[in-house]
Amino acid sequence: MKKKVHLICNAHIDPIWQWEWQEGAAAAISTFKSAADLAEDFDYVFCHNEVTLYKYIEEYAPALFERIKALVKCGKWHIMGGWYLQPDCTMPSGESFVRQIKMGQRYFREKFGVTPTTATNFDPFGHTRGLVQILAKCGQDSYLHMRPYRHELALEDDQFVWVGFDGSEVKVNRTTNYNSQLGKSVEKIKNDMEILPQPTIAALWGVGNHGGGPSRFDLQQIARFIQDAKQEGIEAVHSTPEQFFADITPTARFEKSLYLCMPGCYVSMSQLKRLHVSLENQLFFTEKICSAAALKGLMAYPTETLDAVTEDLLNSEFHDVLPGTSVKSGEENGIKLLHHGLLDAEKMTARAFFALLSVEKPAKEGEYPVFVFNPHPYEYETDITCEFSLADQNWNKHSVSLIKVYDSEDNLLVSQVVKEESNLNLDWRKCVVFAAKLQPMSLNRFRLEVTYVPQEKRLEENYIVQDAHKYVEIDRQTGLLKSFRLDGKEYIHDAFLPVSFDDNADPWGMAGDQLRRLGKNPQPFALCAEPSGVFGGLKSIEVIENGPVYLGVEAFFEKDNSKIQVKYKIYKERDCVDVDVTVFWQDIDKLLRLAIPVNQKGTLIGQTAFGTDTLFVDGRENVSHRFVAMDDGERCLAVLNNGTYGSMMENGTLYLSLLRGAAYCAHPIEDRPLLPEGRYIRRIDQCEHTYAFRICVAQRTELERLATEFNQKPFVQNVFPTTVGENAPTGKVLSVDNRDVVLVTMKKSVERDGFVLRLMNNAAESATATVGIGTDRIALSFGKFEVKTLIYTADGFEESPAILI
């Protein structure tokens, strides 16, 4: 059988990993210069991807950038991949992946006039099945990757058709290693030929694992190899990923995510992961509120600022930053990017909010107006939390302010005053929680009225909330969620016990036994008998809030050097329990999880990029996004979260993986010690951490919406309008009549003159929805797990077959 070998020359460059970004920029410049110099003397094609690196060249070496443009034009330099960078390919949201591809394509189209159709992600530690639909709708028909390796994931064939949740398809090739050592490229190519059985293969080569590029010696050796191979009936050609995929027609099919690989990545650098989720949510919220204000003609859409925020998000998703496998300076760089993006997005949210407010009528005498922006395109009921200052400080120790909340139609709402963030022992700053019905994608107005009543008695020591429908109890002896029962069915018991597992210092989790189970020897925390240290002077468990909206209970746990606060909010009128966890972590080589014994039987599922995955239940580590749920075919017991990716299911207990006491950038090398001995080594996540969860029971089709509501809460502000409010614009409010078809984002388009709306049906069943803005309407039919893109212009709605930004 005749063999054909596509020789794909590349140089893997991590912009940041064991080094800071400045060194990554320097490596890119030297690598690209070497590759360009060799292109003048040798007949080969140098392939490289990642906007981030090309931007370094464009800014710091503009003459070299012009040389590269000329080489691209004559076919000796190939723009590979076309993404913004090689991100982690499991943890970003579907919309983040869209931006990785589309912002990369936009850059390469503008600078080089090319749009690559093969995506390349060699180094990430797994790949979600949700990528297939995204690739196909972004115009990429093929995917080149390396991990998981063969010993981690067995495939029928390393060349296969990858089938997405929605039925989309792309060609995929799992390559061997992407690099070759200096002077040993031919050896690497021949090794690929021996281990890859297909008649047409891709052999990747390049000098060095991180930088370098092709060498003169290697190119001379490869030229001889090509001639020698020809004598043996082997065709070896300098090539590109697109040329390789055009030459193959895979028949094997794969209909799962490409897992499992290096499971420690889903838990390491917990703080950075939570910040990443915060920026994702803030960016998409900001795009929605800015679109709402722009549609009403109240502000110009801030495209340039939000593009910069998006770039902060994309750079933070690099595959050695978001997974937590860089040195500490890499973590710090990621945190800087995320904080920068969050600040700029929050500024644009405020600008849009005050623009919408500019047409509101002034407040009446004695009222405190509260405005709430609902980022969701449907009416829904939720609990709103608002902090504000009394007009005058109340220094009377025998009275306290009584706050009543009314909606715009003067209906008195259920409300509860709770502890404010400030700790001044004075009746001045107040925090009120109230049940509200919100209109879609618009400002909702409420008013507060304040009177004064005698000081209330101490809170009742009650640990149970029950009615004809539900029963929820906190065990005052253990501090655990003892019972969560709906309509007579017990879903969980004795839940949210912190458990420590023996672990190691490797943030990747590369050991073979870690693939089967991350962490050993579970050791439960205990309720503090006599709280000390940061919990000093407190009871081990106590009721901290109790009113018409919710019962609040906090419990304190400790083990070894770490302490944990678990705070429960049991809602009186809603069938859910919120659990906020604060961890004071000071342990190394340990993994922290929360244990939730589950009575529900069925299939464990979790959210991923534009889809829902089936998860492991045999002790292997899972990766999922904002929900994990046990589905019995009728109802799902769901745990929503705001930034926790890892979990494990074993023997009927769901464990939520919170953090690890691993070291920075340490993994096994042969039989050498994992860490240098005899010196202090800084460890990851040795500080205070906060997590938020919600327990609820719902239909599977509702989970995407519920997770979105939990993560993108309404924007709330007590503010007094300053204008007369006589010229308030009407119409131009977005609505979607099917609440379970989720609005992913709405933003001003950079590709078309109008607004882009992305909507998804994260369910295995088809769905319909009518989308409206003002008097314009469009009826949509969604297939299973389908994502649709609409463009809204002055002429109305148009459905786009391709993804737009």
Side-chain angles (χ1 to χ4, degrees), residues 378-644:
Y378 49 81
E379 178 184 279
Y380 83 117
E381 296 182 7
T382 188
D383 294 323
I384 301 298
T385 301
C386 178
E387 283 213 15
F388 69 104
S389 295
L390 297 177
D392 192 16
Q393 301 162 0
N394 175 26
W395 287 83
N396 185 342
K397 292 188 291 185
H398 304 292
S399 70
V400 66
S401 53
L402 173 67
I403 300 169
K404 294 184 178 181
V405 184
Y406 298 85
D407 65 16
S408 59
E409 297 178 351
D410 290 331
N411 297 306
L412 179 64
L413 305 180
V414 175
S415 64
Q416 177 178 343
V417 175
V418 298
K419 173 71 172 68
E420 69 280 3
E421 186 175 7
S422 172
N423 292 307
L424 292 183
N425 194 4
L426 179 64
D427 191 17
W428 179 21
R429 282 293 291 173
K430 309 300 294 185
C431 184
V432 62
V433 180
F434 59 94
K437 179 181 290 186
L438 303 179
Q439 296 305 306
M441 283 286 284
S442 57
L443 279 190
N444 295 260
R445 185 167 183 159
F446 304 88
R447 63 183 174 86
L448 312 180
E449 289 187 357
V450 179
T451 56
Y452 294 91
V453 296
Q455 189 74 261
E456 295 180 350
K457 296 181 180 180
R458 185 174 177 82
L459 290 174
E460 178 186 356
E461 287 292 311
N462 181 27
Y463 294 86
I464 297 173
V465 173
Q466 64 178 324
D467 53 33
H469 177 55
K470 67 174 180 293
Y471 179 90
V472 183
E473 179 181 359
I474 307 300
D475 191 324
R476 64 172 60 195
Q477 303 302 319
T478 65
L480 303 180
L481 181 55
K482 182 177 181 179
S483 177
F484 179 72
R485 190 186 312 159
L486 295 177
D487 297 323
K489 180 176 180 178
E490 189 81 71
Y491 283 92
I492 59 176
H493 64 277
D494 300 317
F496 289 95
L497 173 67
V499 181
S500 175
F501 291 75
D502 291 339
D503 197 6
N504 68 7
D506 171 12
W508 284 269
M510 288 188 177
D513 61 342
Q514 290 175 307
L515 278 176
R516 295 184 294 274
R517 192 175 191 271
L518 187 67
K520 303 175 182 177
N521 185 25
Q523 305 144 55
F525 277 60
L527 191 68
C528 296
E530 295 183 8
S532 60
V534 69
F535 300 148
L538 299 171
K539 294 182 180 179
S540 58
I541 182 170
E542 189 160 10
V543 174
I544 56 173
E545 307 287 355
N546 198 356
V549 179
Y550 72 84
L551 168 68
V553 179
E554 64 180 2
F556 303 101
F557 299 84
E558 61 185 355
K559 187 185 182 304
D560 298 330
N561 301 302
S562 298
K563 298 177 183 292
I564 297 175
Q565 176 212 37
V566 179
K567 184 165 63 175
Y568 304 96
K569 291 182 181 178
I570 307 172
Y571 292 95
K572 304 293 182 69
E573 301 297 326
R574 306 193 193 283
D575 297 335
C576 59
V577 177
D578 285 356
V579 184
D580 297 332
V581 178
T582 301
V583 178
F584 298 90
W585 184 250
Q586 293 189 42
D587 284 296
I588 65 172
D589 297 340
K590 296 284 186 179
L591 165 63
L592 178 64
R593 292 187 170 111
L594 295 174
I596 304 176
V598 175
N599 296 335
Q600 180 97 328
K601 303 296 183 181
T603 303
L604 187 67
I605 58 175
Q607 184 195 48
T608 187
F610 290 162
T612 298
D613 249 334
T614 300
L615 305 181
F616 303 119
V617 293
D618 58 1
R620 284 180 287 178
E621 190 72 10
N622 290 304
V623 56
S624 57
H625 292 184
R626 308 287 66 82
F627 67 75
V628 59
M630 183 61 74
D631 181 9
D632 69 359
E634 295 183 1
R635 304 279 283 175
C636 294
L637 168 66
V639 184
L640 314 180
N641 72 81
N642 71 343
T644 306

Side-chain angles (χ1 to χ4, degrees), residues 15-23 269 272 320-321 325-337 664-665 682 684:
I16 192 166
W17 179 38
Q18 297 183 78
W19 41 81
E20 296 189 52
W21 70 267
Q22 296 93 331
E23 187 175 341
M269 287 191 194
L272 190 141
D320 278 313
V321 175
T325 54
S326 71
V327 292
K328 183 167 179 58
S329 56
E331 177 190 40
E332 291 169 347
N333 178 262
I335 290 172
K336 288 176 188 175
L337 287 168
Y664 289 96
C665 201
R682 300 183 76 171
I684 298 171

Side-chain angles (χ1 to χ4, degrees), residues 288 376 703-713 742:
K288 293 175 187 177
H376 310 297
L703 295 180
E704 183 77 21
R705 170 176 59 84
L706 294 174
T708 302
E709 290 174 359
F710 185 65
N711 276 269
Q712 293 184 33
K713 293 182 170 62
V742 172

Side-chain angles (χ1 to χ4, degrees), residues 88-205:
D88 175 82
C89 288
T90 59
M91 290 180 279
S93 68
E95 188 63 22
S96 282
F97 283 122
V98 167
R99 307 299 172 90
Q100 287 284 355
I101 299 173
K102 296 298 291 186
M103 291 193 75
Q105 289 177 338
R106 184 173 72 175
Y107 178 86
F108 289 124
R109 188 164 52 245
E110 290 175 355
K111 301 298 181 179
F112 300 96
V114 299
T115 305
T117 58
T118 297
T120 57
N121 282 307
F122 302 130
D123 227 16
F125 315 118
H127 309 261
T128 172
R129 186 183 178 190
L131 278 171
V132 182
Q133 179 177 192
I134 298 169
L135 289 166
K137 290 185 175 179
C138 285
Q140 296 200 297
D141 58 14
S142 43
Y143 193 62
L144 189 59
H145 78 99
M146 181 178 70
R147 297 190 178 97
Y149 295 115
R150 290 178 168 183
H151 73 276
E152 295 166 326
L153 177 65
L155 295 171
E156 179 185 344
D157 194 324
D158 290 323
Q159 296 177 6
F160 58 94
V161 175
W162 198 12
V163 183
F165 293 110
D166 69 325
S168 297
E169 297 181 359
V170 295
K171 295 180 185 179
V172 178
N173 182 80
R174 175 168 63 180
T175 183
T176 64
N177 210 341
Y178 47 70
N179 69 297
S180 54
Q181 293 181 334
L182 179 62
K184 295 185 178 181
S185 56
V186 171
E187 180 180 326
K188 195 269 183 184
I189 293 166
K190 288 181 177 179
N191 185 63
D192 282 357
M193 292 172 62
E194 289 181 8
I195 64 175
L196 298 176
Q198 300 86 359
T200 301
I201 66 169
L204 277 68
W205 69 279

